[in-house]
Each structure stands twice: as C-alpha cells, then as structure tokens.
Amino acid sequence: MKYFYLGCFLLLNYLAVAQSNTLFNSQLKSLHNIYKELHFAGKPVDDSLSVGVYHLFINNLDEDQNLLRIDDFKTFSSDSLNIDNYLEASNSDFIDKYVDILTSRIEETKDYIASLSKVKLDYTGKDTIHYSSHKKHYYKQNKKASELYWNKIIKYEVIKTIIEEDSTLQLIQSSFAKKEEGIKNVVIEKELCKLNEITNQKGGVESFVKECFLKAYCAYQDPHSTYFNNAERDLFHHYLGTNQLTYGILPSKNKDNDLVVEQIIPGSSAFKNGEIEEDDVIKSITSGQMTLETYCISINEVDKFLNDDSHKVATFKIKKRDGTIKEVKLAKTIMKSDDNSITGFVLKSDEEAFGYIKIPSFYTDFDSPRGIGLSQDFSKELYKLQKENIKGLIIDLRFNGGGSIHEATNLSGMFIDKGPIAIESDRYSNQFTIRDPNRGSLFTKPVVIMINESSASASEFFSGAMQDYNRALIVGSNSFGKGTAQVILPLDTLDLIQGYTKITFEKFYRATGKGVQQKGIAPDIQLPSLYDNFNMDEKSNDFSIPNDDITPTLALRPLKKLPIEHLIGLSKNRVEHSEDFKKIKELNQVLLREIINKNKTYALTIDNVFEDIEQLNNLYKSFQDMDTTDVELEVENTKSTIEVLQYSEDMQLINEDIMNNISHDIYISESFNILKDLINKLN
C-alpha cells in the first residue's frame, strides 16, 4: 500500500510541474509573439538573441554572483546558443534545471549562513575587502570559496551595523565585543530573510526563475521593456488610482532587502510634505499604538498596514542617503483626479518678479473623461502667477523621468502658437507629426527650463519643442536621452491573462527630425553638476535602441533666435566666481574618484570599515550641508495659494519648507539670473 501512496504522490507532483511548465510555455509564447509583431526595433531570433537573453537571465537569477558556482555553468552553457531554438519550438523544458540548481544553492547558502551563529568570527584583518567599480565579481569556484565569501560578508555587515549605531570610533571599539554576538545574529537573520523571500514567495523558486527569464527576454529587446505579473500590476494600479485614501508612498525592496520609497504619488501627502524622497529607507511605520518594523517583512504585509482603514496618520522613520534618521508624520489624504499636484511660486530679487513651477512628472488620469492631468494643473498655476504680474517663468524639470506624451503635447501648446511639436515613428517607419492642439498661447513672456541628467522622456519631448521654437532657454545638464514610448499589453495565455508586458512600440523625434534617443537634450547654458561623468544616461544602458534622425514632413517656423552666446558669457562669469559651484565641481571629482571609479582594497577590521563608511557619509553630508552663500532669492506664494493655506497649519509648515528649499537652491538662483539677463537683453 505504501508504494501505491508513493506512486500517487510522484504522479501528482509530476502533473503539478507539467501544468506549471505548460503555463510558462504559454506565457513565453505569447510574449515572443507580441515582441515579434509589435516591438519598435524587434531583434532577430538567432544566436545573438540566445547569448543576450542568457546572460541577462543569469544576472537576474544571481545579480550579486553569490549563489551560483562555476560548475553550474557547465550545466547551463548549452543554452547560451539554443534559447532562440527553444523559443521557435515553443519548448520551455530548459527552465527546470535552473530551478533545481538555484534551489539547491539557496538551501546550501542558508545552511552555512545559519551555522555562523555558532562560530566565533575573526575581525583581526585576516580577510580583505576589495572594491572595484569596473571589475566584475566572479562566480565562486567551489563550496569552500562560497563559504569564505559569506564569512566575509557577515563580518563586514556586523561591523557596519555597529558603526551605524555609535557615533565615534572609540565608542564602537569599546562596545564591539559586547554587541557583536547579538548584532551577528541580527545580520544572519537579515541575510536569511533575503533568501527566504525567494523561496517563500507565491510559486517559490520556480516562479522566481521563470519571471527572471521573462524579464530577461524583454530587457534584451531594450532596457525599457519589461514583464510584470498580475500582482505587480494590481499593486501599481492601486497606488496610482484616483479617489483613494493614501499616504502617497509606493514602497519596494532594494537588493539589501531594505524597504525603500520607490515612488511618491504626485499631489499626495508625502509629495506635498517634501521630507521623504525616492530611495529613502523606511525603518519603521507607527500609527497609534502600533509600530511596524520593516526589517525582514514582505511587501504584502507593508501594504496591508498602509492600507488599513484604521490607520489615518502615521509616522515614518526614514534613513536618508547620508545615514541620518528622520521621523516624518503624514496624514492620509483622498487622492482625487482634479487635485492640483503642482504649485506656482513667485521669485523676487532686486524688484524683479518671476514665476517658478516645478513639474515632478507628466502625470495624467487615463480614466478621466476630461483627461485631467499635469497640463490642466499647470494652466491653473500659470493663471495665478500671471495675476502676480510676473515678467518671466522658470519651469523646473530636474529629476522628471517623464510620463504622458499627451500631457507634454498640451503643455507645449500653451507656449507655442501653432505648428509641429514632435514626430512619432513606428517599427515600419510610418511617421505621424504631433501638432499643437490649440491655436494661440497662454503665456508669451520669456521662459527658462531647468533640466538635468535625470530629465527623461516626456521632459525631453517638451524641452526639445520649446528649444526648437526658440520659445525657452534650456539650462542645466544634458538630459537622459530616452526617446521611446511604451504601452502595457496583457499576455493572453490559456484564455486567461497571466502577466503583462510594457513594450517599446514607438520612437519620438524633435519637430526638426533630430533624434532624442541616446542623445538627449543639450542645454543652451550648461551648469556644473554633481553628477557630471557618472554615465547614468540612456546610452550607458545595455541593449539601448540607437539614435537616428528622420526627415520631417512639416516645417516649423521658430521665433527669433535667442541671444544665447551673450547669456552664456554672463552665466559663465557668475559660475566661475561662485563658491557654491566651485564646491559642486570639487565634490563631483571626489565622488568620481571615491565612489563611481572606486578601486580599493583593505583588511577587514573595525578601523578600516569605519574609515571607509565615514568617508562616504562625509561626502553626502558635505553636499547637503553646503552653504549657498550666493543665493538671495525671496520666495512668495501667490495670493490664491495664501488663501488656501490659511485653512491648514500642516500645509503652512510644508509650504515653508518648500519655499526655504527654493530660496537656497543655487541652480534656481542661476536660472533666475539667466532669465533676468534674457529680459534685459530683449528689452
């Protein structure tokens, strides 16, 4: 009888695996067909695809190269030239070996890490730590090499954690022996949590491996195409939905398993507060008598806490990039599609009054019959500013990653009388000229647009149109260079939707026919940036679609050329004599040397780790604590905003912080001076 039960168990297990592989095969087939038919620059299905997808897949499976071993690649190696054949034959059986081997390596690693809780670790410098920004990590040769690696990692994390708790090296050294064992167990548990998140997720390692492959397939086509499962899509839509009670924070986990702020919803409580930024680490969330410690907890549990109707106000304990800890109190607000998510300010100096509006993203409400979004909010703020008799306008697009091209088109039309704004092209080279949707302009006075390395997509669309028409001066750093557009499509598998893909289906060009992709928008006036030469732009991404130019079918009629050379000279003179910009350039060089191009080896001791971490923290602090002696801007609210603020003390405090930040921003100050120079020259 026991053999009968064993046979039934094996049969059921086989059927479960077969059913799972059938679904994966269906997902892969649907994804493959969508990309062959719709991707803007779909790549041929050949050995190049096999090599590219294979390496992206391996990297997704083991990004830090601390699980898989060189011997494992003997099992995997044949796939590097056969993935194209698997796709064409709709054969997904190859995936099983990756599931089996990764499962085995995770369990081995967990066993060894757990065993270190009973081992006395050596912190005398017997081991060394090596950093290299350009040298790839290597997969471990064997089990012994893997164990040595994890032994080092645990020791480093123990030292690092204790350093974060104490302020001076003397205190750390004196308390280290007492704290070490307790901290070591916490570090071990944290590392185990990272691995358990893979094994404990829905579908376990099998689901993780299959999604890694689907994402690798999309990323090979271009870096902005991707796959996400139903839960990821639902979570995304929940946070971006309208009329919901929310703090406005979209959390995620980083590679260190910390809970971080991935996105802040425009117009939300977190957005208006301004104290919380993307990539901040959330250490805990407290509401009433309940505190949620985010250490070793799943995203689902965090979501449940944030969306609990009984939690109306919460205090977020945040760790900033420089290591400082902040507590930020937020109240849930109802997000409505007609809420204003931007605010206009009046900047004054020497009796000059200019408007200032920061656009965080080109957001929109696709479900709204009126298409309410950024452009409508902007027009409201622009109307308020014009009632203040401003002589010019500064539009801040720094760190604006894009959004809706429709909103960027409408915004462009507010400043351009008529004519082509940009050109879209599909995979068949069909061109469509995007024109100004409305005759006339809402604002005809001089404009300065601020951009930086993170201004992308719709930001570049708008900036390029304004530059082509000589309608605005572009100030700052060369933009990111994302000249492609994406659409989200479902994977139709087995008559069900089992996942979605965000796929690149179009490319956009400037109205002149010049490409934006990989090239970006070059500012008319370049300013020194903390991020100069960081290589964080589109052309630095693997498998990025190349740039090209096209011939426009409709000529634009630009306004009179702006006196750029004259303005460059005046700005260059101010920048060269600015202590603030001098500090920015000096800090940029230090960051390039000590972080971006870091190449350092040292013995693993308390002293050496402290020195390394202290140096990094001091770099961040030196920028945040930088005195902006050149800035003397006076910032005011519009009369309409003042009237609204009088009903909320919380909003008044938030508003004061925002105005303080604006008044001490050297880039806004220089943009103000450039705008003043432009007006003086035109007059």
Side-chain angles (χ1 to χ4, degrees):
M1 182 63 71
K2 66 179 179 179
Y3 297 110
F4 173 76
Y5 287 128
L6 177 61
C8 288
F9 171 78
L10 293 174
L11 176 61
L12 289 173
N13 185 60
Y14 170 79
L15 291 175
V17 171
Q19 184 179 22
S20 177
N21 279 353
T22 299
L23 174 59
F24 175 64
N25 191 62
S26 184
Q27 287 175 307
L28 191 53
K29 183 177 180 180
S30 177
L31 195 68
H32 187 46
N33 289 336
I34 288 173
Y35 276 75
K36 283 201 299 183
E37 295 174 10
L38 299 177
H39 192 274
F40 174 82
K43 295 181 174 132
V45 184
D46 55 17
D47 286 349
S48 294
L49 178 144
S50 293
V51 172
V53 173
Y54 172 79
H55 286 292
L56 286 170
F57 174 44
I58 294 297
N59 185 66
N60 288 349
L61 285 180
D62 189 10
E63 187 176 1
D64 294 324
Q65 299 181 351
N66 55 21
L67 292 172
L68 298 175
R69 299 175 194 155
I70 289 178
D71 283 349
D72 297 332
F73 291 92
K74 295 177 182 178
T75 307
F76 301 154
S77 60
S78 61
D79 293 338
S80 65
L81 293 175
N82 280 320
I83 289 175
D84 59 323
N85 300 324
Y86 301 150
L87 291 171
E88 292 293 83
S90 295
N91 178 8
S92 61
D93 292 343
F94 70 93
I95 205 73
D96 294 337
K97 58 180 172 287
Y98 296 93
V99 176
D100 293 341
I101 289 176
L102 185 62
T103 300
S104 175
R105 295 296 175 238
I106 289 173
E107 293 306 318
E108 286 179 9
T109 302
K110 285 164 61 177
D111 288 344
Y112 177 72
I113 292 174
S115 72
L116 292 177
S117 62
K118 302 176 182 178
V119 175
K120 185 173 179 59
L121 300 181
D122 185 344
Y123 299 94
T124 62
K126 177 182 176 182
D127 296 319
T128 59
I129 291 285
H130 178 69
Y131 293 95
S132 176
S133 301
H134 303 293
K135 186 178 179 181
K136 289 275 291 181
H137 297 293
Y138 291 104
Y139 292 100
K140 308 305 175 284
Q141 286 279 355
N142 48 44
K143 184 177 181 181
K144 184 177 180 180
S146 180
E147 290 178 350
L148 176 61
Y149 167 84
W150 282 107
N151 189 287
K152 285 189 193 181
I153 290 296
I154 297 300
K155 285 189 283 191
Y156 175 82
E157 289 297 326
V158 168
I159 297 173
K160 178 184 172 185
T161 303
I162 292 176
I163 288 172
E164 289 178 347
E165 291 186 354
D166 287 316
S167 56
T168 67
L169 181 59
Q170 185 177 1
L171 283 173
I172 292 164
Q173 290 172 327
S174 63
S175 64
F176 188 85
K178 183 178 180 181
K179 291 183 175 181
E180 189 270 343
E181 184 175 356
I183 294 295
K184 182 180 73 171
N185 290 333
V186 171
V187 168
I188 287 172
E189 187 179 347
K190 183 176 181 179
E191 293 299 331
L192 292 175
C193 281
K194 294 180 189 178
L195 297 171
N196 284 331
E197 280 205 355
I198 298 176
T199 56
N200 295 343
Q201 67 173 295
K202 185 178 180 180
V205 177
E206 181 181 356
S207 177
F208 172 76
V209 170
K210 290 176 178 178
E211 289 190 9
C212 281
F213 185 85
L214 296 173
K215 291 178 189 290
Y217 174 86
C218 298
Y220 171 72
Q221 305 297 332
D222 80 282
H224 303 291
S225 293
T226 190
Y227 163 86
F228 45 86
N229 59 41
N230 294 359
E232 290 170 335
R233 177 187 179 275
D234 291 344
L235 186 61
F236 179 78
H237 276 264
H238 169 77
Y239 277 97
L240 294 185
T242 58
N243 295 307
Q244 59 170 305
L245 200 61
T246 176
Y247 300 110
I249 292 174
L250 179 62
S252 67
K253 290 289 187 78
N254 62 16
K255 68 177 184 178
D256 294 324
N257 207 45
D258 293 320
L259 186 72
V260 297
V261 179
E262 179 179 327
Q263 184 179 343
I264 297 174
I265 301 172
S268 67
S269 179
F271 179 91
K272 293 175 180 177
N273 176 276
E275 290 292 316
I276 298 178
E277 300 173 297
E278 292 180 2
D279 295 327
D280 282 349
V281 176
I282 304 173
K283 305 294 287 184
S284 68
I285 309 170
T286 301
S287 181
Q289 301 299 313
M290 296 183 63
T291 296
L292 181 74
E293 300 291 344
T294 60
Y295 164 72
C296 195
I297 193 168
S298 70
I299 284 288
N300 287 336
E301 291 303 311
V302 176
D303 288 333
K304 288 177 184 177
F305 190 90
L306 292 176
N307 296 315
D308 190 323
D309 291 338
S310 65
H311 299 158
K312 306 295 186 187
V313 178
T315 298
F316 291 78
K317 190 175 183 180
I318 299 295
K319 180 182 177 183
K320 310 297 286 185
R321 289 186 66 185
D322 65 359
T324 58
I325 302 295
K326 274 189 173 184
E327 289 192 351
V328 181
K329 190 174 183 179
L330 298 177
K332 280 183 179 177
T333 56
I334 296 177
M335 291 296 298
K336 295 183 179 179
S337 59
D338 58 351
D339 276 350
N340 236 338
S341 295
I342 56 174
T343 302
F345 294 89
V346 180
L347 309 182
K348 289 185 176 181
S349 178
D350 300 330
E351 299 183 356
E352 298 282 0
F354 299 147
Y356 169 83
I357 301 178
K358 180 175 179 62
I359 302 177
S361 68
F362 285 82
Y363 55 88
T364 193
D365 180 5
F366 293 104
D367 297 324
S368 170
R370 294 180 293 164
I372 295 171
L374 177 276
S375 57
Q376 187 169 102
D377 290 349
F378 187 96
S379 66
K380 294 176 184 176
E381 294 303 306
L382 184 59
Y383 174 74
K384 297 174 188 176
L385 287 170
Q386 291 195 85
K387 291 178 70 175
E388 303 291 332
N389 297 316
I390 59 172
K391 296 180 180 179
L393 178 66
I394 298 172
I395 302 174
D396 192 344
L397 297 180
R398 292 174 298 170
F399 302 103
N400 183 322
S404 168
I405 294 297
H406 171 72
E407 296 294 341
T409 301
N410 287 341
L411 187 63
S412 302
M414 295 181 192
F415 299 92
I416 296 169
D417 183 18
K418 62 178 179 178
I421 291 176
I423 304 167
E424 291 179 339
S425 178
D426 62 18
R427 62 179 288 157
Y428 304 108
S429 299
N430 296 317
Q431 293 184 24
F432 174 74
T433 300
I434 302 174
R435 305 187 189 205
D436 180 359
N438 300 300
R439 292 290 298 269
S441 305
L442 291 183
F443 190 78
T444 58
K445 295 176 182 178
V447 178
V448 163
I449 296 175
M450 302 172 64
I451 63 171
N452 68 359
E453 301 85 347
S454 298
S455 305
S457 192
S459 291
E460 296 170 300
F461 181 103
F462 173 65
S463 300
M466 296 287 277
Q467 191 177 53
D468 289 338
Y469 275 91
N470 296 323
R471 187 59 195 88
L473 270 173
I474 312 300
V475 173
S477 309
N478 204 88
S479 63
F480 184 79
K482 180 182 178 292
T484 58
Q486 288 72 39
V487 65
I488 296 174
L489 298 174
L491 302 186
D492 189 2
T493 59
L494 305 175
D495 297 323
L496 296 171
I497 295 176
Q498 296 288 350
Y500 296 81
T501 182
K502 183 178 71 172
I503 179 173
T504 297
F505 75 106
E506 278 185 336
K507 204 172 184 180
F508 70 82
Y509 301 79
R510 299 169 72 149
T512 60
K514 298 295 183 182
V516 174
Q517 177 65 13
Q518 287 197 354
K519 188 176 181 181
I521 304 297
D524 298 308
I525 299 179
Q526 186 96 20
L527 297 179
S529 170
L530 185 67
Y531 310 102
D532 283 341
N533 301 311
F534 274 29
N535 296 325
M536 301 187 303
D537 54 4
E538 173 73 3
K539 64 177 177 289
S540 302
N541 287 328
D542 292 335
F543 306 110
S544 173
I545 295 173
N547 182 61
D548 65 337
D549 299 332
I550 60 176
T551 303
T553 58
L554 186 62
L556 60 84
R557 296 180 180 179
L559 300 173
K560 182 180 177 181
K561 186 174 174 59
L562 297 170
I564 295 173
E565 293 303 322
H566 171 75
L567 300 172
I568 289 175
L570 295 175
S571 177
K572 185 177 180 182
N573 183 61
R574 281 190 298 269
V575 169
E576 287 178 348
H577 290 86
S578 166
E579 288 298 316
D580 296 328
F581 279 119
K582 181 182 178 182
K583 292 174 185 176
I584 288 172
K585 287 188 279 189
E586 290 173 350
L587 184 54
N588 168 255
Q589 292 302 305
V590 175
L591 289 173
L592 285 171
R593 182 177 67 251
E594 301 297 336
I595 298 179
I596 303 301
N597 300 316
K598 185 174 183 177
N599 194 338
K600 189 174 184 179
T601 301
Y602 59 77
L604 186 54
T605 64
I606 298 171
D607 294 29
N608 289 337
V609 175
F610 177 84
E611 181 184 347
D612 193 41
I613 293 175
E614 187 75 358
Q615 183 181 33
L616 180 62
N617 288 339
N618 287 337
L619 287 177
Y620 287 119
K621 288 178 182 177
S622 63
F623 177 70
Q624 291 196 343
D625 298 340
M626 186 175 65
D627 293 328
T628 49
T629 55
D630 295 345
V631 178
E632 297 179 353
L633 280 180
E634 180 184 349
V635 186
E636 296 180 356
N637 292 117
T638 62
K639 293 181 179 63
S640 298
T641 302
I642 292 172
E643 187 176 338
V644 173
L645 288 173
Q646 66 178 321
Y647 299 105
S648 172
E649 291 185 8
D650 290 340
M651 291 305 299
Q652 289 173 25
L653 293 174
I654 294 169
N655 180 68
E656 287 176 11
D657 286 341
I658 294 172
M659 290 200 299
N660 182 61
N661 291 334
I662 292 172
S663 68
H664 290 86
D665 190 315
I666 185 61
Y667 293 98
I668 297 175
S669 175
E670 179 56 23
S671 297
F672 183 97
N673 289 327
I674 290 170
L675 183 54
K676 184 164 63 173
D677 291 341
L678 173 60
I679 291 173
N680 290 337
K681 183 67 174 176
L682 293 177
N683 291 338

